[in-house]
Amino acid sequence: MIGSIAYFSTDIAEPGVIRHNEGSRISLGEPDGSRSDRARAIAAALVKAGLRCPLTARIRHEIWVKILGNVAFNPISAADPRDACRNRPRS
């Protein structure tokens, strides 16, 4: 298992259609903090595909930081009646 965290902003344009707004980063890391050949190979493939893909020795820490950010900000976004990216009423 290799840990990963995607940093993308998306929304639902219509049922079955996801719109990518911004972001191209996927962090990867081994749970034990090592920088394995397999993690390097996956990161290299993602970079070749045009994504930013840093390897981290602290993937567990990054996962918790992202969870805390989601806990703090997602309820605000859900409670706001406007589309956060376009400042218009949600349909």
Side-chain angles (χ1 to χ4, degrees):
M1 177 180 69
I2 294 177
S4 66
I5 308 166
Y7 295 92
F8 302 135
S9 170
T10 62
D11 60 35
I12 300 172
E14 60 186 74
V17 178
I18 305 299
R19 179 184 306 124
H20 175 257
N21 296 315
E22 65 179 311
S24 62
R25 178 177 157 210
I26 300 176
S27 292
L28 293 178
E30 293 283 359
D32 68 0
S34 66
R35 295 178 186 269
S36 68
D37 289 339
R38 68 185 186 146
R40 289 178 202 271
I42 294 168
L46 292 170
V47 168
K48 189 174 180 180
L51 298 170
R52 293 184 311 136
C53 191
L55 287 178
T56 179
R58 301 181 69 206
I59 193 69
R60 292 175 190 268
H61 173 80
E62 277 200 47
I63 290 169
W64 279 108
V65 169
K66 179 148 187 197
I67 289 170
L68 291 173
N70 286 344
V71 166
F73 293 108
N74 288 357
I76 295 168
S77 297
D80 188 343
R82 295 167 292 149
D83 180 314
C85 294
R86 289 165 193 82
N87 199 22
R88 65 179 185 214
R90 291 186 179 152
S91 49

